[in-house]
Amino acid sequence: MAFDIAVRKAVIMVQSKPVRSVLICDVDNTLFDWVHVWHAAFSSMLDELLRLSGLDEATLLPEIRAVHQRAGTSEYAFLIGEIEALRPAAGDTAVLDFYAPAIEAYRAARQQALAFYPASSKH
C-alpha cells in the first residue's frame, strides 16, 4: 500500500512538470542571421588573405570558389591550406602560420557579428 501511494505521488509530480526530451533547432537563420555572420567573417578573412598574399580578388576568388564547391560548403575549415595561389607568399613559413592573421580576422568578425534574433533568446 505504501508503495502504491509513492508511485501515485511520483506520477503526479512528473505530470505536473513539462517534459522536454528533445529540442531540435535549425540554427541557420532561425536563431541568428547566418548570412550576415558568414559574410562578415568571410569578408574579414578575404581582406587579410589579399593583404598578406598580394593577390587580387580576380585571382583568389575563383580558387576559393573551387574549394567551396569541391567541399560542398562555404564554411570549409581547411580552405586556406588548399589554395595553391596562397603558397608562394608564405615562402618557407607554414601556410597556416603565415595566414594566421586571416584566420584570426575570420574568428573575430564572426564573434562580433554573431547575435541571436531578439525573439529567439526569449525561450
Side-chain angles (χ1 to χ4, degrees), residues 11-32:
V11 168
I12 291 170
M13 287 175 56
V14 168
Q15 288 176 344
S16 66
K17 294 181 182 179
V19 176
R20 294 184 184 140
S21 59
V22 176
L23 173 64
I24 300 172
C25 294
D26 173 16
V27 296
D28 294 350
N29 274 16
T30 300
L31 300 179
F32 64 90

Side-chain angles (χ1 to χ4, degrees), residues 6 33 43 54 59 63:
D33 186 347
S43 296
T59 301
E63 289 206 32

Side-chain angles (χ1 to χ4, degrees), residues 37-85:
V37 173
W38 178 87
H39 184 265
F42 180 81
S43 296
S44 293
M45 179 188 69
L46 179 61
D47 289 346
E48 279 298 296
L49 291 174
L50 294 170
R51 182 183 70 79
L52 293 166
S53 69
L55 297 171
D56 59 15
E57 284 188 15
T59 301
L60 191 54
L61 286 177
E63 289 206 32
I64 290 172
R65 183 172 190 258
V67 172
H68 283 168
Q69 287 181 329
R70 191 169 53 250
T73 180
S74 61
E75 297 179 288
Y76 187 58
F78 305 106
L79 174 70
I80 292 172
E82 293 190 19
I83 299 174
E84 291 298 323

